[in-house]
Amino acid sequence: MTITTLRHSSGSSCKIHSFGATVISFATDREHLFLSNDAILDGSKAIRGGIPLVFPVFGPSTAPSTMPQHGFARVNHWDLIESTETTASYTLRLADVTAGRGEHNPWSIEEVAKNGIDVLLKYEVSLGADYLLTTLTVQNTGKTAFDMEALLHSYFAVPEKATHDNSRTFITGLDRYSIVDKVTQESGHAQPEGEPVVISGETDRVYDPFEGKTSAQVQLVTPQRNLDITAEGSNAISCVVWNPGKEKAKAMPDMHDGAHEEFVCVEPGILTDRMIRLEPGDEAFLKQTIKAIVNK
Ligand code: TA6
């Protein structure tokens, strides 16, 4: 288990934990990512904070399988292939993964071998003076097509414990996206044009792109700075906005007290139609650029 630190001559920095290839810090004049004080960093469970990688499923697996919630990418050790002062590249091969097992789990190693499924994940992290670029690439290196989703589960730090202060913390750029609200179970309506997204108690919404847009420009506004989040992918880009609220956060053993007031998750992903089918030899990608705008 290693933590790789990237440093830019301007003073910005980034830290990446090899477990899940999880970026756990991106700082310019201040830290921009949230990492719970009680995050488990010993490889025994997904890291609570930073940018966990979600693949091949977002959320619980729909197949009667033992696939872990949000898939296996974030709960396995990735290999650091190369790094420079400001870049790092990781890989993870399915063949090296003890993915969820079970007779119906299409991703269990036994069925993978039987079905000839194999996948090579690559993850590249690049640090600039005021930005962090992360790119996840999925290559179907096997003989069988498989269904997939991929998402960057980014936890953004919100200063002054202001996640629920809707006059100072809100998200722009998701207007006109159609909403699936996992708290109210409502779906079918869109974020009104020009209306920002705000956090109200437990917030868990999937914003699906209109017209199948394969890029998204979102801005997270917080009391001390804005973050421009640009995402692009090989398929339509959805965006999840999540905050557990006080009660749900308290029930999470790896969330420190009051953590729900310190972060908002804005999570770009390729989730369209729940699953994307990747044919043998094909490749999918998901790229996110986080740019810190020191505006206050
Ligand atoms: O991205 C939002 C979400 O799917 C929420 O429903 C919540 O489960 C969150 O992810 C955290 O999931 P985790 O498995 O990391 O506790």
Side-chain angles (χ1 to χ4, degrees):
M1 212 80 73
T2 58
I3 293 180
T4 298
T5 299
L6 307 181
R7 293 194 190 290
H8 189 273
S9 54
S10 70
S12 62
S13 66
C14 167
K15 290 186 189 316
I16 310 146
H17 198 303
S18 60
F19 185 65
T22 310
V23 172
I24 55 174
S25 168
F26 164 47
T28 54
D29 60 314
R30 57 175 64 84
E31 179 58 58
H32 299 298
L33 297 178
F34 166 86
L35 182 68
S36 171
N37 301 338
D38 298 339
I40 310 288
L41 299 175
D42 64 5
S44 60
K45 74 165 290 191
I47 294 174
R48 181 65 67 194
I51 309 176
L53 299 177
V54 172
F55 177 85
V57 293
F58 171 67
S61 171
T62 49
S65 84
T66 54
M67 173 70 74
Q69 156 113 327
H70 290 332
F72 59 77
R74 65 174 184 165
V75 288
N76 275 281
H77 177 88
W78 288 56
D79 295 321
L80 176 61
I81 301 305
E82 64 175 338
S83 67
T84 67
E85 276 292 291
T86 57
T87 63
S89 299
Y90 295 82
T91 60
L92 178 68
R93 284 198 73 88
L94 178 63
D96 305 331
V97 170
T98 54
R101 297 178 184 280
E103 70 286 354
H104 300 295
N105 173 5
W107 290 85
S108 68
I109 294 294
E110 294 77 9
E111 293 213 21
V112 161
K114 187 175 72 179
N115 298 337
I117 296 178
D118 199 358
V119 61
L120 171 64
L121 299 177
K122 290 183 183 175
Y123 191 49
E124 290 159 323
V125 181
S126 176
L127 174 70
D130 61 352
Y131 71 85
L132 183 71
L133 169 60
T134 56
T135 306
L136 176 65
T137 305
V138 179
Q139 290 179 353
N140 183 341
T141 51
K143 302 190 288 294
T144 309
F146 56 77
D147 292 334
M148 61 161 276
E149 294 178 300
L151 174 134
L152 302 175
H153 201 293
S154 311
Y155 286 74
F156 293 105
V158 175
E160 300 173 28
K161 292 182 176 284
T163 55
H164 293 73
D165 177 344
N166 299 336
S167 66
R168 301 194 300 160
T169 301
F170 51 87
I171 298 156
T172 59
L174 288 175
D175 50 328
R176 296 188 296 159
Y177 280 62
S178 60
I179 302 168
V180 174
D181 191 316
K182 299 202 299 188
V183 174
T184 64
Q185 302 303 315
E186 290 171 350
S187 64
H189 65 283
Q191 185 69 16
E193 187 143 5
E195 189 173 301
V197 172
V198 296
I199 302 300
S200 50
E202 181 189 359
T203 304
D204 195 349
R205 300 187 207 113
V206 181
Y207 290 81
D208 279 325
F210 50 95
E211 298 153 6
K213 282 175 56 181
T214 57
S215 68
Q217 283 74 38
V218 167
Q219 186 165 86
L220 172 61
V221 175
T222 75
Q224 292 172 17
R225 72 189 171 291
N226 297 354
L227 290 172
D228 280 349
I229 303 156
T230 305
E232 53 185 298
S234 44
N235 297 73
I237 293 284
S238 299
C239 193
V240 179
V241 175
W242 177 63
N243 180 283
K246 186 174 182 177
E247 293 317 312
K248 281 271 176 80
K250 203 182 283 185
M252 294 178 169
D254 54 358
M255 281 278 193
H256 64 260
D257 281 353
H260 65 290
E261 295 181 301
E262 301 173 23
F263 77 89
V264 175
C265 278
V266 181
E267 313 161 21
I270 42 181
L271 307 178
T272 312
D273 307 329
R274 280 292 291 166
M275 286 289 176
I276 289 106
R277 179 157 290 252
L278 203 60
E279 297 295 334
D282 281 359
E283 195 171 275
F285 79 92
L286 174 61
K287 182 183 288 188
Q288 170 186 259
T289 306
I290 305 165
K291 188 173 167 61
I293 317 287
V294 180
N295 59 334
K296 289 152 186 165

